[in-house]
Amino acid sequence: FLAEGHFERHLRHLRRLYGEKRATLVRALDECLGQRVRYSPVAAGLHVMLYANGEVDEEQLVRDAAAHGVRVYGGAPYHLERPAPPSILLGFSGLDEEEIVDGVRRLADAWPN
């Protein structure tokens, strides 16, 4: 697998696949949530850290998302600074592009402000 170059080919495939999924997520965030949120500009990994603009309660954001059928994770455990800024960790690796867009639309409904 390694000696014949299959691993490198596999890595290129994964980078392209997850890069496309991340781009879909970022486009959907910009279109559906616009100025209500900002997100980490890091274009690596399988998650995006999302920050809601304004005064928000992280735990309430998680509950509101769940009530709209979207599972997100509070970002506080992933920050070194204390108190951590209210944030949400969005994973996208196990979703197809349609599910990503649908999930962001549901978040926009869950977080109307």
Side-chain angles (χ1 to χ4, degrees):
F1 190 76
L2 292 173
E4 295 177 10
H6 299 295
F7 183 66
E8 289 297 321
R9 194 167 30 261
H10 180 65
L11 284 179
R12 281 193 302 275
H13 168 73
L14 292 179
R15 284 185 190 119
R16 184 177 60 253
L17 173 68
Y18 292 122
E20 290 169 1
K21 288 183 179 192
R22 184 183 191 289
T24 296
L25 175 58
V26 166
R27 273 193 308 276
L29 290 171
D30 289 342
E31 291 172 9
C32 297
L33 288 166
Q35 299 301 314
R36 292 185 275 171
V37 299
R38 63 192 194 296
Y39 47 85
S40 170
V42 176
L46 302 174
H47 298 84
V48 170
M49 189 65 74
L50 185 71
Y51 302 89
N53 292 326
E55 296 293 321
V56 296
D57 178 80
E58 180 175 293
E59 292 176 9
Q60 186 63 50
L61 292 175
V62 172
R63 287 192 298 273
D64 291 346
H68 283 78
V70 180
R71 185 173 27 169
V72 298
Y73 304 91
Y78 305 98
H79 292 280
L80 294 176
E81 68 182 273
R82 296 288 180 240
S87 56
I88 299 296
L89 188 65
L90 300 176
F92 58 84
S93 66
L95 304 172
D96 64 34
E97 292 186 24
E98 186 176 311
E99 291 170 318
I100 291 169
V101 171
D102 180 58
V104 173
R105 287 182 180 144
R106 289 174 184 232
L107 289 179
D109 291 340
W111 303 335
N113 296 329

